[in-house]
Amino acid sequence: MSAATSRKETLQLGFVGLGRMGLNMVRRMQQAGIDCVVFDTNIDARKEAASYGSTIAESIQDLAGKLEGSRAVWLMLPTAVVDAVLDQLVPLLSAGDIVIDGGNSHYVEDLRRAEALSKHRIMYVDVGVSGGVWGCERGYCQMIGGPEQAYKRLEPAFVALAPGVGAAPRSEGRTGDPSPAENGYLYCGPSGAGHFVKMIHNGIEYGLMTAYAEGLNVLKGANAGKHKRSADAETSPLEHPERYQYDFPISEITELWRRGSVIGSWLLDLTATELNRDPSLKDYTGRVSDSGEGRWTAQAAIDEGVPVPVLTAALFGRFTSQGNELYANKVMSAMRHAFGGHHEVTTDNKD
Amino acid sequence: MSAATSRKETLQLGFVGLGRMGLNMVRRMQQAGIDCVVFDTNIDARKEAASYGSTIAESIQDLAGKLEGSRAVWLMLPTAVVDAVLDQLVPLLSAGDIVIDGGNSHYVEDLRRAEALSKHRIMYVDVGVSGGVWGCERGYCQMIGGPEQAYKRLEPAFVALAPGVGAAPRSEGRTGDPSPAENGYLYCGPSGAGHFVKMIHNGIEYGLMTAYAEGLNVLKGANAGKHKRSADAETSPLEHPERYQYDFPISEITELWRRGSVIGSWLLDLTATELNRDPSLKDYTGRVSDSGEGRWTAQAAIDEGVPVPVLTAALFGRFTSQGNELYANKVMSAMRHAFGGHHEVTTDNKD
Amino acid sequence: MSAATSRKETLQLGFVGLGRMGLNMVRRMQQAGIDCVVFDTNIDARKEAASYGSTIAESIQDLAGKLEGSRAVWLMLPTAVVDAVLDQLVPLLSAGDIVIDGGNSHYVEDLRRAEALSKHRIMYVDVGVSGGVWGCERGYCQMIGGPEQAYKRLEPAFVALAPGVGAAPRSEGRTGDPSPAENGYLYCGPSGAGHFVKMIHNGIEYGLMTAYAEGLNVLKGANAGKHKRSADAETSPLEHPERYQYDFPISEITELWRRGSVIGSWLLDLTATELNRDPSLKDYTGRVSDSGEGRWTAQAAIDEGVPVPVLTAALFGRFTSQGNELYANKVMSAMRHAFGGHHEVTTDNKD
Amino acid sequence: MSAATSRKETLQLGFVGLGRMGLNMVRRMQQAGIDCVVFDTNIDARKEAASYGSTIAESIQDLAGKLEGSRAVWLMLPTAVVDAVLDQLVPLLSAGDIVIDGGNSHYVEDLRRAEALSKHRIMYVDVGVSGGVWGCERGYCQMIGGPEQAYKRLEPAFVALAPGVGAAPRSEGRTGDPSPAENGYLYCGPSGAGHFVKMIHNGIEYGLMTAYAEGLNVLKGANAGKHKRSADAETSPLEHPERYQYDFPISEITELWRRGSVIGSWLLDLTATELNRDPSLKDYTGRVSDSGEGRWTAQAAIDEGVPVPVLTAALFGRFTSQGNELYANKVMSAMRHAFGGHHEVTTDNKD
């Protein structure tokens, strides 16, 4: 545990949304001495939070009532629910209070909400939180946007949630007191800045994941010369089957790359673990969901005129895994039939 | 019929390979007065050729014997068969004879074969032929490589096969006698040049097809706001469903674009016809084969250091339509499970 | 001239915006007997329109006054100006009047404007117009959205502007009276539908252009084996220089492909003309602008979850031609320096 | 220092090629007690190796003579030089000896060389080595191909060079004696397997680098709303400038992501260090070299029919940074001029 989280803080925080991630965050804050007043419609989740020392609220109204002095309420909710909860919560708050959205909102929503709340002199803080199911143990990387004054008041919470400087070796050239970024949280700028940076974080994540996945797929296909390529008269045969005779131990290779290679990463660590657990990946069908940030990253890039071919290739791979390229492919089959009399081959290349 | 094809020529040509395309080519040459001595293992195809006025050979040997003077033999064969036929044919030929490969060989094969045949002082000519099943009617676009002397001798055949200048309006600035290119055939350079240019032609074709197909797919998806996006908690909802309420008449739109628009093309003509015939495209599953040239184009570009993101995106779309992205997607699902506890969603986005 | 445009029509139309395209459209409508009352701030353009037989208005107000009965005003303006002109125009109109936006508006703007005008019971029609500088001669391909009743009233204008069925051979299977699409105009659906279809048209156009351009670039690079690849110790040498010894006649090749090939198109026609005029393309620096529709197409695809790798690769190529990839490349150079001690090579691959 | 490298080994090894990387490898092996007999044409490098305890050879011949018993010679040379050195070395070796190529050869070269050497009953081992300039300190990740018997004999050298299991936490589910992969070296399969896996490693590396670089570029462009987009009449204005008003502290953000985020990696560590050193990256022009493996990865994928859109997008970005997209862009400018009368805009989007 870092020095940061061993301090006892006096901050009190309302916390709405005790899903998997919310509960872990509350636990980590309570351990650092931050008193959380929590609410969720799920009663079991409330009980769990109580076991960490949190104060339970029976409703949003109850929560607002149990907070003392200048209030701060952290929302950890599905994007689609945030506005409805704000409708309930805002009338219960006063000038100088703070609302934090720690979920996965589009930063454009932050701009709208921040402006709406500013009319009530309530400060809106957007925090992009990375860490997934591992956050309670590793700490949460936090990207923060909104009024700087609010950021300052909440800093003890960010410190409590952050991994702390010990989570990675200090970068060459960085000395003295660790900066907030080195502790794992950062004030990124005005409203929306936190979720903007988190959006880009996820956009990059898509690209990284696909880079590994494509590379491993080429390793897997390296035995192509052992199979007869499809009987399909249209498909030209593999020119050099003798070059594709490898059955690679992919699980061991991902483990290997974790040490000393240029492509070591946390995503690679996870991949190695998963492939060690089941090299066949038989539990997966290969349908890859996307959750918004990858799309928003691409759209922001397009607005800015910034080329992002890798990030969009990754995004479109997910769309395709969801079956959304089907019509385009049918159109192409129809064209091929029209100009060449080609009939679709029903077996795939690997038979 | 163009002026070119109405001339009577005295060229005599051996022709091996009477598939769909070969037969049509022989027919077009016979109509132009070129005497073809033909062979194919398929007896019905030989009879068909005889009905066009061709002389039938019973074997490669017979064919070689029936040709007079300096001989020229045009091969119109599957790539995988060319070398075997050359093994039979070459010993029957003499110095000064010509072999033409009009199939879809990789130009690298041409380089090898041209060198081997040059040792016998036999000239090897590579011809990339475009036109598909429509060629007999429209004429064949021919891209020619090899010794220029051989090209000159064969020019009457190229003229007979070519569409002729009348097939398209002359380009602004082109006057006087139409050039060979304007007639639809072109000497592109030394050995391999013909198939190299045809390879790029097909590489471009892949890109064009995918551009149309993707655009139509976006038109088709323009009613996305009418459906509830998947119940999937991970997927963010469509922010503006009111913007995606269109059910576009895609068949009519492709017809529309044929007149006066910037994107009119022969591929669009074919697409409009197919979509008019069956707007549902229900006969197609969307598995799109690839036949070599698209791959070779990408590999040549990479050798040259030339970026071809569009052409490779088109190629990879075909690979994916064949199911070859599956392992990569499973790897990504495994990663998502590992860092986020995400389980795969089994329904697709459209439910 | 098609049958359609030889009819004399009685429709009267206001027309605002006499740029290059607007003037040509007015001319074509006047030739078909449609009486245009025109306005532009440019007095020379007004005079030009007068020479076609149009009635000149001195102001928007004057134009509104000179129209009789149920009025229809066609705007042919830069996107950024449309709202300002509507602010002037709408108060001068009455219930039942029609405004047409024939420019390049984003269809999302159409949705907003149509709703705003509907409060005044004014009908708003969006028309995507393709044809560029060639439209006066070839006719304009028109994609139309808005209230169907307005479309019906305006049909004579669409007919006058359209190329007519004679502009392309009828598709196989299409008989009887030509449909509107076959004449070159189409009612695509409710408000925004016209500009949506035009947006996709342009998105496809980007993809097509890049497919040709990449292919020609590979042809151009086919002499790579003649040059020594950079002295750069990091760059691996070309493995088979003997395969890249071609100096292709690119201008003739584009001319060649116009006849009988699978990739014939209007864009190819133009490319052949340009390359014939100047094969060196020395007048161009290679900075390719983008004008909105390509971006919007990508964004719509992303909203819909439809993969468009080719269309975005084309778009990003334009962004890159504008210099917007620079920072990303600097970041990569910095990474390479950090892990490999690599210094940037200052000469390019071709030296 | 890991347990592995603290053992004293009795292996003796010839080592040819004392560049930056070779010297560091020799040093690490000497520290582990492996006796190296070294040669390089650079006399200073030899002296440096002598200071580590290596035996100096004056020539390849001398080196071969100074090795005792069954010999093993490790080559650490530029790809282009390997064959020339083998021509000298092989005649000096005997049946049962081993040659190791630890450079960046294409695995296809390995297949050829292994076969050639097997005629002399010399075993050829290919080792892909990752670690760059950091390897001496971190250890080298080694991917090994060739005869398994040779691998076994050389294992002490691989152990000495590898980072050892302590370089990363053990993966969940891995217990007992660490496997070779966990120590950082792995026998991947028969000849070529080592360089094949290294090739894919580098292909992935390109993808990862570009994913980060693109994401950071979008962050950098997030102030787009502060600038007036180009006066260019063709370019549509930014629809929502208020959404792009951020000046992000990119250097701090990369530092931030190192702790607790999903995208932590060694490449990110290096990026954070470089950006901390000089956030302006003013020393770089953005020309990004490529060194073979990225190209070979793409070509292998294409041979296999495996889609790699992300890896090729990364590769093509490098080609473009080298200026090789220029002709394609000129072609597009020419097309735009032809159909739309568009003139190139000479200023970029950011002015």
Side-chain angles (χ1 to χ4, degrees), chain C residues 290-346:
Chain C
D290 75 285
S291 59
E293 290 87 352
R295 299 182 182 207
W296 303 330
T297 295
Q299 290 177 320
I302 292 168
D303 277 344
E304 294 177 10
V306 166
V308 287
V310 159
L311 305 190
T312 49
L315 179 66
F316 294 146
R318 296 193 173 199
F319 291 174
T320 298
S321 84
Q322 297 161 20
N324 296 343
E325 84 299 0
L326 182 60
Y327 184 74
N329 286 341
K330 288 185 174 191
V331 168
M332 285 194 279
S333 282
M335 285 185 190
R336 295 186 80 240
H337 180 259
F339 71 70
H342 300 294
H343 292 282
E344 284 186 335
V345 177
T346 47

Side-chain angles (χ1 to χ4, degrees), chain B residues 107-108 111 130-131 134 138-143 163-174 179 181-188 190-193 196-197 200-201 204-205 207-208 210-212 214-219 221-222 224 229 238 242-244 246-249 251-253 255-267 269 272-273 276 297 299-301 303-314 349, chain C residues 107-108 111 130-131 134 138-143 163-174 179 181-188 190-193 196-197 200-201 204-205 207-208 210-212 214-222 224 229 238 242-244 246-249 251-253 255-267 269 272-273 276 297 299-301 303-311 313-314 349:
Chain B
Y107 81 96
V108 171
L111 291 172
S130 182
W134 297 80
R138 295 173 87 216
Y140 298 90
C141 180
Q142 297 157 86
M143 302 147 243
V165 66
R170 292 193 78 177
S171 291
E172 191 193 310
R174 293 210 179 241
S179 69
E182 288 186 272
N183 276 306
Y185 67 96
L186 180 67
Y187 177 70
C188 297
S191 283
F196 195 109
V197 175
I200 299 302
H201 168 279
I204 292 172
E205 175 192 311
L208 301 180
T210 311
Y212 287 114
E214 289 182 1
L216 299 185
N217 202 7
V218 184
L219 285 181
R229 183 119 80 185
L238 186 55
E242 75 281 5
R243 296 183 186 172
Y244 298 95
Y246 302 107
D247 290 300
F248 285 117
S251 169
E252 289 303 301
I253 288 168
E255 184 63 40
L256 170 70
W257 286 339
R258 296 183 63 226
R259 291 179 181 82
S261 97
V262 172
I263 64 173
S265 71
W266 193 57
L267 283 166
D269 293 348
T273 296
N276 185 44
T297 295
Q299 289 176 322
D303 278 343
E304 296 177 10
V306 166
V308 288
V310 159
L311 305 191
T312 48
N349 241 359
Chain C
Y107 80 97
V108 171
L111 291 171
S130 182
W134 297 79
R138 296 172 87 217
Y140 298 90
C141 181
Q142 297 156 87
M143 302 147 242
V165 67
R170 295 192 76 176
S171 292
E172 191 193 311
R174 294 213 178 238
S179 69
E182 289 186 273
N183 277 305
Y185 66 96
L186 181 66
Y187 176 70
C188 297
S191 281
F196 195 109
V197 175
I200 299 301
H201 168 279
I204 291 172
E205 175 193 310
L208 301 181
T210 311
Y212 286 115
E214 289 182 2
L216 299 185
N217 202 8
V218 184
L219 285 181
K220 183 151 201 311
R229 184 121 76 186
L238 187 54
E242 75 281 6
R243 296 183 184 170
Y244 298 96
Y246 303 107
D247 289 301
F248 286 117
S251 168
E252 289 303 299
I253 288 169
E255 184 64 41
L256 170 70
W257 286 339
R258 295 183 62 226
R259 290 180 182 83
S261 96
V262 172
I263 63 172
S265 71
W266 193 58
L267 283 166
D269 294 348
T273 297
N276 184 45
T297 295
Q299 290 177 320
D303 277 344
E304 294 177 10
V306 166
V308 287
V310 159
L311 305 190
N349 240 358

Side-chain angles (χ1 to χ4, degrees), chain D residues 90-91 93-97 114-123:
Chain D
V90 167
L93 298 181
S94 317
D97 287 353
E115 195 183 344
L117 268 65
S118 75
K119 290 173 187 157
H120 306 277
R121 298 181 44 216
I122 297 168
M123 290 180 285

Side-chain angles (χ1 to χ4, degrees), chain A residues 107-108 111 130-131 134 138-139 141-143 163-165 167-174 179 181-186 188 190-193 196-197 200-201 204-205 207-208 210-212 214-219 221-222 224 229 238 242-244 246 248-249 251-253 255-267 269 272-273 276 297 299-301 303-311 313-314, chain D residues 107-108 111 130-131 134 138-139 141-143 163-165 167-174 179 181-186 188 190-193 196-197 200-201 204-205 207-208 210-212 214-219 221-222 224 229 238 242-244 246 248-249 251-253 255-267 269 272-273 276 297 299-301 303-311 313-314:
Chain A
Y107 80 97
V108 171
L111 291 171
S130 182
W134 298 79
R138 294 174 87 217
C141 180
Q142 297 158 86
M143 302 147 243
V165 67
R170 294 192 77 176
S171 292
E172 191 193 312
R174 293 212 179 240
S179 69
E182 289 186 272
N183 278 306
Y185 66 96
L186 180 68
C188 297
S191 281
F196 195 109
V197 174
I200 299 301
H201 168 280
I204 291 172
E205 175 193 309
L208 302 181
T210 310
Y212 286 115
E214 289 182 1
L216 298 185
N217 202 7
V218 184
L219 285 181
R229 183 119 80 186
L238 186 55
E242 75 281 5
R243 296 183 186 170
Y244 297 96
Y246 302 107
F248 286 117
S251 168
E252 289 303 300
I253 288 168
E255 183 64 40
L256 170 71
W257 287 338
R258 297 183 62 226
R259 289 179 184 84
S261 96
V262 172
I263 63 174
S265 71
W266 192 57
L267 283 166
D269 294 348
T273 296
N276 185 45
T297 295
Q299 290 177 319
D303 278 343
E304 295 177 11
V306 166
V308 287
V310 160
L311 304 191
Chain D
Y107 81 97
V108 171
L111 291 171
S130 181
W134 298 79
R138 294 172 88 215
C141 180
Q142 296 157 87
M143 303 147 242
V165 66
R170 295 193 77 177
S171 292
E172 190 192 312
R174 294 211 179 239
S179 70
E182 289 185 274
N183 277 304
Y185 66 96
L186 181 68
C188 297
S191 282
F196 195 109
V197 174
I200 300 301
H201 168 279
I204 292 172
E205 176 192 309
L208 301 181
T210 311
Y212 286 114
E214 290 182 0
L216 299 186
N217 202 7
V218 184
L219 285 181
R229 184 119 80 186
L238 186 55
E242 75 282 6
R243 295 182 186 172
Y244 297 96
Y246 303 107
F248 285 118
S251 168
E252 290 302 300
I253 288 169
E255 183 64 41
L256 170 72
W257 286 339
R258 297 182 62 225
R259 291 180 181 81
S261 96
V262 171
I263 64 174
S265 71
W266 193 58
L267 283 166
D269 293 348
T273 296
N276 185 45
T297 295
Q299 290 176 321
D303 278 344
E304 295 176 10
V306 165
V308 287
V310 159
L311 304 191

